[in-house]
Structure formats: C-alpha cells, structure tokens
Amino acid sequence: MTTEDFDYYLPEELIAQTPLAVRDSSRLLVLDKNTGEVEHKVFTDIIDYLEEGDTLVLNDTKVLPARLIGVKEETGAVIEILLLKNLEGDKWECLVKPARRLKVGTIVSFGDGKLKAKCCGEFDEGIRHIELLYDGILMEILEELGTMPLPPYIHEKLEDQSRYQTVYAKEVGSAAAPTAGLHFTKELLNKIEDKGINIAYVTLHVGLGTFRPVSVTNVEDHEMHSEFYSMKKEVAELLNNTRKSGHRIIAVGTTSTRTLETIMSLYPEFRECSGWTKIFIYPGYEFKGIDCLITNFHLPKSTLVMLVSALAGRDNILNAYKIAVDNKYRFFSFGDAMFIK
C-alpha cells in the first residue's frame, strides 16, 4: 500500500479560504460505508441521521493563538514561531521559520519585549525547544500578540479569529482546530440533545502531525507525531452504556476518532485515562471505538484520507471525493462536511 494510492485530483479553487457566514450552512455529503451510496444534504440535516440513544463524541480542545512573529534581539531578523506542544512549565516544542536563524541561546522578542523566547534545543524539520520569558498570564499575552495558526493552504486573512475555534472549545492546547466540529452551532447541538442523542466530550490536542505531509512511499513506514488525549470517567461510562444498549458511537472528526480508538486499543472498554497517542489508522485497521464519523474533506495522500479509507473503504472514499469535486464541494479546514454512516 503506497501513499500514491490515496491521491486524488483537486482543483485549487475548491480549497475553502474563508468560513461560511453561518457555521451549519455548509454542505453535507452522506456516504454509506457499506454500499458506497452518496447523498447530498446540508449540514443541519445531520440530525436526521442521528438516532435516539446514539452518542455524539466531540473534541473540546481549544486552539492557542500560537503563531508569533518576532525579531532576534541580536540582529533584528524576523522570526516566526508556532507553539506546538507544552513540554513543561514555560518550555515548548515549536516549529520555527527560518529555523536556521534560531540557534541555542538565541532570544526572539515579541511585542517590544512583552514576550521573549529563548532557544534551548535544536532538532530536525524546523523544530526547536524554547523557553518563554514573560511577566503576567501567558494566555492573555498570547491573545494579544499571537494569531491563529491557519494551515498553509489558507491564504486569506481570517477576520474573526473565533471562526477557527469550535463553539464548545474548552481545553487549551491545540496548534490546529478539530475542523469537523466547526460546523456545529450551539442551537444545532441543543436540537440534537432534544432528540435524545447523547453528547460527550473528549480531548485531543492537535499537534505537529497536522502540518506534516506523508513523505514515505510505503504507508506502513510513516510515523505519526504524538498528541495528548484524555477521557473523563463519566464519558467512559456513557460510551460503554451506549455500546451495551446497542446504540451507535458517532465521532466528530478524526481527532475524536483517534482518541476513542487509542483507548479501545489499550483497554477492553472505555475508561478514564489520559496519555500520548501516535495511533496511525489506515486500511486494514479494525475499528473498535466508533461506528460512524462526521468529518471534512482531507488533503490528498494525507493520513486523514487514509483514516477515512480505513472506515469506508478506499474505493468508496475516492469515489465520494470525485463526486464532491464534480459537485464543487468546498475542501479542507473551512470546507464542507461528510458523514460516513
């Protein structure tokens, strides 16, 4: 199985550059994973595919305004730092541009010195470990000086930073949004609950893997970067009861999926836990935690296309993606949605 097996044709004009004015007005392609049959809906129709007793699982991670533009204190050279992972205290793993300018001991200043970053470790692929130096509350400083770390395929400026955040975002720690959740409004979630569908939240902080393409030829040779996940006791109990009562677990996004599948790969049932996951899901994987998936349309040859292909079959996915292209669906982070039932 090669990376090329997960390639598809995508015209650049179908890459959504800005979010729609109304979150839940996006289009929804419904794919039957058993038959390959496709339906065309709008996102608010998702409620018609959810049944009383089902549990909808969302990732409540919150995106850091983690993109910082500063200058080297020694030379004034412009440096961009993207905070990826909190290592401990004020030490962070970061993606740096241009990385060659940031050596151990170098200090970068942001906002006239309100925040400083001292390099304390050099690694491959533009990764640096830095220590943040500041007075006050870090989140308040990041809200003032940082911006949302939009993916490289988005070239338009995001006017409203909250649109790269789900309406239920709570646990701060992601370098990117769990984008399948961007389609939900509070009103739609209320309607879903009123129908008797359970809503549960897990946490997975989206990290470096989001920004890294698959560079190997053979899929099996790809190594995922680790990301932090957690599940609370009451969520584990709800999911176990959902299973026992014969109802479905529906993941919102690949990050929720990876969290649920990680836990079910470690234990015989869902349980309260947290840790770091490097789970890589591709065709041949046997799902243990989810029945259905709400997701976006993903980059060609990406680990995310491989994940949805594992759930619905590669041929079904590539056919659905071709139909989406032919019908001019919007792709990627601010694009339209797919429900794999």
Side-chain angles (χ1 to χ4, degrees):
M1 198 183 326
T2 70
T3 305
E4 293 297 326
D5 292 333
F6 300 92
D7 197 10
Y8 67 91
Y9 170 69
L10 179 68
E12 191 171 345
E13 64 267 21
L14 295 185
I15 300 173
Q17 294 296 314
T18 55
L20 296 176
V22 180
R23 286 178 183 262
D24 58 10
S25 64
S26 58
R27 297 166 76 186
L28 176 69
L29 186 148
V30 180
L31 171 64
D32 187 315
K33 63 179 181 285
N34 297 312
T35 67
E37 181 184 349
V38 165
E39 300 173 81
H40 301 286
K41 301 289 182 177
V42 295
F43 193 77
T44 48
D45 293 330
I46 191 66
I47 195 167
D48 298 331
Y49 294 89
L50 307 178
E51 301 166 3
E52 184 176 350
D54 287 345
T55 297
L56 194 65
V57 184
L58 304 102
N59 181 7
D60 66 0
T61 190
K62 190 170 185 177
V63 186
L64 281 164
R67 183 172 178 261
L68 295 159
I69 308 291
V71 294
K72 282 176 66 174
E73 285 197 336
E74 302 166 347
T75 65
V78 175
I79 301 286
E80 177 182 328
I81 290 181
L82 177 60
L83 303 177
L84 293 173
K85 184 192 298 182
N86 185 215
L87 300 172
E88 60 173 353
D90 288 317
K91 291 186 177 178
W92 290 76
E93 179 180 274
C94 303
L95 186 61
V96 174
K97 295 181 189 176
R100 68 182 185 278
R101 292 182 178 270
L102 203 63
K103 305 295 183 183
V104 171
T106 303
I107 293 178
V108 181
S109 178
F110 310 93
D112 295 324
K114 183 172 286 189
L115 176 67
K116 294 184 179 184
K118 181 179 180 180
C119 180
C120 49
E122 297 179 49
F123 302 89
D124 294 337
E125 298 181 308
I127 299 299
R128 297 290 185 269
H129 287 181
I130 67 161
E131 181 179 5
L132 294 177
L133 310 170
Y134 58 93
D135 290 320
I137 300 171
L138 179 59
M139 272 309 299
E140 291 181 358
I141 295 170
L142 291 178
E143 292 284 355
E144 179 185 345
L145 301 179
T147 57
M148 286 298 178
L150 297 179
Y153 49 76
I154 293 178
H155 309 298
E156 298 279 333
K157 183 181 178 183
L158 181 62
E159 297 299 334
D160 179 359
Q161 299 284 307
S162 71
R163 292 304 306 274
Y164 194 59
Q165 204 83 268
T166 63
V167 297
Y168 48 81
K170 180 182 177 185
E171 304 293 336
V172 176
S174 271
T179 54
L182 296 177
H183 302 283
F184 286 91
T185 62
K186 290 180 179 177
E187 292 76 18
L188 180 56
L189 288 169
N190 288 337
K191 288 179 182 176
I192 288 170
E193 281 193 302
D194 289 344
K195 190 178 175 180
I197 295 132
N198 306 301
I199 294 179
Y201 296 96
V202 295
T203 302
L204 183 135
H205 292 322
V206 189
L208 181 62
T210 297
F211 301 95
R212 288 282 182 239
V214 178
S215 57
V216 296
T217 300
N218 294 318
V219 168
E220 293 89 343
D221 294 336
H222 178 70
E223 185 174 348
M224 299 285 283
H225 288 264
S226 63
E227 295 170 314
F228 179 81
Y229 71 90
S230 66
M231 175 181 285
K232 294 179 179 176
K233 183 180 180 182
E234 59 270 23
V235 172
E237 291 174 349
L238 172 59
L239 292 172
N240 289 329
N241 289 334
T242 301
R243 268 284 151 79
K244 288 170 186 172
S245 60
H247 295 291
R248 300 176 301 169
I249 294 172
I250 298 154
V252 176
T254 57
T255 60
S256 297
T257 299
R258 292 179 67 242
T259 302
L260 298 179
E261 294 300 324
T262 293
I263 295 169
M264 287 299 287
S265 295
L266 294 172
Y267 308 109
E269 63 178 9
F270 293 108
R271 64 174 62 179
E272 180 181 21
C273 60
S274 63
W276 295 86
T277 181
K278 299 176 80 171
I279 192 170
F280 178 23
I281 298 172
Y282 54 88
Y285 177 86
E286 187 174 327
F287 284 83
K288 309 167 191 69
I290 75 164
D291 300 293
C292 308
L293 172 63
I294 298 168
T295 188
N296 278 20
F297 293 95
H298 305 294
L299 277 73
K301 300 192 282 189
S302 66
T303 61
L304 304 183
V305 167
M306 295 170 193
L307 185 153
V308 295
S309 295
L311 182 63
R314 185 182 74 97
D315 290 346
N316 285 343
I317 288 295
L318 293 181
N319 181 59
Y321 272 48
K322 184 180 184 302
I323 291 170
V325 168
D326 291 344
N327 285 272
K328 297 190 174 353
Y329 275 69
R330 302 166 77 246
F331 277 66
F332 305 163
S333 297
F334 290 136
D336 294 316
M338 171 187 275
F339 178 50
I340 301 174
K341 67 174 186 173

